[in-house]
Amino acid sequence: MPTLPNSTVIVGNGNLGRVAPSEDGITLILASGVSVSGKFALGDVLGPFFSLDDAEAMGITSKYDDINTCMAWKQISDFYSEAGNGTEAYVQILAKTVTMTEMATINGSYLAVVLPLLGAKVRLVILSRTPQTGYTPVVTAQLEADVTNAMIKAQELVVYEQTKNRRISVFIEGRNWGGTASSSLNLRDADAGPNANRVSLIIGNDYDYATSQTYRNQYASVGLLGGRAAKGPVNRNVGRIKTGKLKITNPGLSNGAKVQTLGDNNEETLNAKGYIFIKAVFPNPGFYFNDDHCACVITDDYAFVSHGRTIDKAARICQAVFAREINDEVYVEVETGKLPAATVKNYQGLVETNINNNMAGEISGVTAFCDPNQNVLTTDKIITKVGIIKTGTSRYLQTDLGFENPFLNN
């Protein structure tokens, strides 16, 4: 079937056995709320915002949340408390009846429409919801069906968007978690889990805020999570201690309890199952995200947010590099029909130089190989294989400590 001339990037998986930093953090926030007369209607795409002040200028204030029993301002405020002023964000306020599943559905009226509208600008997506009064959730394996289905639908959308060279990571509010770690859905289970390697679920929150109003009791701090991701380089774990403590002094969970009530064993269980929450890391002061899990099997190359964001940035650069080469003349060796050495080196050099220049400090290295034995005269296709050597993450640090007697060593 004939197709338009194009440059395609196919991202591999199972291989592990400088766009400006501000662009890496461009975020789209979907949240429940109401329209503001003279400012916006439900479903409008607001922005770009570059600070909380911009949102408040549209009428999305702390008072807006209180009057309308929603948390749009809270999630945006949390986002900018971490991402900082200057970070580009877009906001879509939706009716409380709109589920997160509907927000993420591939043929739906929300993300599926907004992402193409913004033209591949968006890197991070935040999904948040405050349901309407009288909402009765269906709960299975300690999660609302809307939360579980939203993860699945978001991944379907992610995969489709990749075919259009729009690459996103999605953070979902794990509202109303059931509270029992042992029977919670294992997000890292290949059979039971959502198998969503660009989707993350957070069940942690600010306990003091959550308990200040009844309608806030079951929320999760997805804006805070998205903001911390947006502020750092693509290879940075949101749980990195050196980034600094979160602006939360009393962390809680979306079941209405303090995180301290979990205990060590339940924290380990939730971490192993791929949940993101907020916890103490002794002896560091303050509180931090436990890790940057994605809701997929641990053996997936993109089982962590930082892995997916790194490869997605490299893919964008490859796309930008080779898009300039579309429909260009390609000369071949007269005797063999093979690609000349100079052409091969040009393709390899283009991608290696651009990735190294734009991802300095975010990867360990890059290799590119363009096979000269390609029949471009017949196929009109040139394949360049690119390998990214990612940076590691110091998740587990061991110190071998003991007494030593120097006398016995002589």
Side-chain angles (χ1 to χ4, degrees):
M1 177 179 172
T3 58
L4 290 170
N6 196 9
S7 165
T8 303
V9 177
I10 300 175
V11 173
N13 201 345
N15 299 320
L16 288 178
R18 198 123 222 175
V19 176
S22 60
E23 292 184 2
D24 295 330
I26 295 176
T27 301
L28 172 62
I29 303 171
L30 276 65
S32 303
V34 301
S35 62
V36 175
S37 179
K39 297 289 187 179
F40 66 88
L42 289 176
D44 287 353
V45 180
L46 310 179
F49 294 164
F50 295 96
S51 69
L52 179 61
D53 290 343
D54 293 337
E56 292 181 336
M58 296 298 294
I60 307 172
T61 63
S62 177
K63 186 177 180 180
Y64 169 91
D65 276 6
D66 291 342
I67 292 173
N68 300 299
T69 59
C70 62
M71 281 173 285
W73 176 86
K74 173 61 175 174
Q75 300 291 7
I76 299 169
S77 174
D78 278 357
F79 174 81
Y80 276 110
S81 75
E82 280 295 323
N85 290 344
T87 304
E88 186 173 347
Y90 298 82
V91 173
Q92 187 179 41
I93 303 298
L94 303 171
K96 294 181 180 182
T97 53
V98 177
T99 67
M100 289 187 290
T101 302
E102 291 171 329
M103 294 178 194
T105 297
I106 197 168
N107 294 318
S109 304
Y110 308 106
L111 273 182
V113 173
V114 177
L115 291 172
L117 181 67
L118 293 176
K121 290 171 67 72
V122 174
R123 309 306 201 241
L124 306 173
V125 172
I126 293 170
L127 300 185
S128 170
R129 185 191 180 200
T130 308
Q132 69 278 22
T133 302
Y135 166 74
T136 302
V138 175
V139 178
T140 303
Q142 304 295 300
L143 291 178
E144 287 192 9
D146 183 35
V147 171
T148 303
N149 291 333
M151 288 188 281
I152 296 169
K153 291 299 182 182
Q155 181 67 18
E156 291 176 358
L157 183 63
V158 164
V159 172
Y160 171 77
E161 289 293 303
Q162 288 172 348
T163 69
K164 302 300 181 182
N165 296 306
R166 297 188 291 264
R167 302 175 187 277
I168 55 172
S169 294
V170 182
F171 302 112
I172 292 179
E173 181 182 6
R175 52 164 283 102
N176 194 25
W177 173 59
T180 304
S182 60
S183 58
S184 292
L185 177 66
N186 186 351
L187 305 181
R188 293 217 178 273
D189 187 275
D191 297 319
N195 292 296
N197 67 8
R198 291 298 193 282
V199 180
S200 300
L201 185 70
I202 178 171
I203 59 172
N205 66 20
D206 181 340
Y207 179 81
D208 292 336
Y209 177 84
T211 55
S212 62
Q213 297 281 352
T214 301
Y215 77 90
R216 302 171 179 172
N217 290 169
Q218 298 166 333
Y219 98 103
S221 298
V222 67
L224 198 72
L225 175 63
R228 175 140 297 198
K231 80 184 294 184
V234 293
N235 65 321
R236 179 151 294 165
N237 190 316
V238 294
R240 179 176 181 262
I241 302 301
K242 290 180 181 177
T243 302
K245 62 185 179 181
L246 296 167
K247 296 177 176 65
I248 286 180
T249 58
N250 192 10
L253 298 157
S254 61
N255 68 327
K258 293 185 178 182
V259 74
Q260 290 92 335
T261 62
L262 276 180
D264 295 339
N265 290 339
N266 286 327
E267 281 192 359
E268 291 285 356
T269 297
L270 287 173
N271 186 69
K273 289 184 174 184
Y275 290 82
I276 297 177
F277 50 93
I278 301 164
K279 66 184 295 292
V281 182
F282 180 82
N284 301 291
F287 300 93
Y288 307 82
F289 291 118
N290 58 307
D291 212 331
D292 67 340
H293 299 297
C294 287
C296 64
V297 294
I298 195 68
T299 53
D300 193 301
D301 280 1
Y302 313 112
F304 298 95
V305 178
S306 49
H307 294 190
R309 293 187 70 204
T310 297
I311 207 71
D312 285 346
K313 181 171 182 177
R316 289 187 201 99
I317 295 170
C318 290
Q319 173 64 24
V321 167
F322 289 120
R324 292 191 292 268
E325 305 298 317
I326 294 171
N327 285 341
D328 197 5
E329 300 87 1
V330 179
Y331 298 95
V332 300
E333 294 180 344
V334 175
E335 299 82 3
T336 65
K338 295 180 180 180
L339 293 173
T343 300
V344 167
K345 288 182 180 179
N346 178 57
Y347 283 129
Q348 292 172 173
L350 278 173
V351 70
E352 287 181 351
T353 298
N354 277 276
I355 288 178
N356 278 321
N357 287 346
N358 287 289
M359 298 189 73
E362 295 177 326
I363 59 173
S364 296
V366 58
T367 61
F369 174 69
C370 182
D371 190 346
N373 296 306
Q374 297 187 58
N375 188 0
V376 66
L377 294 180
T378 299
T379 65
D380 291 331
K381 178 186 288 187
I382 299 174
I383 298 173
T384 303
K385 295 183 178 180
V386 180
I388 299 296
I389 301 118
K390 75 178 190 68
T391 57
T393 301
S394 54
R395 281 188 174 83
Y396 313 106
L397 300 175
Q398 175 177 316
T399 302
D400 293 332
L401 177 66
F403 291 118
E404 187 172 292
N405 187 341
F407 179 83
L408 298 178
N409 295 330
N410 293 319

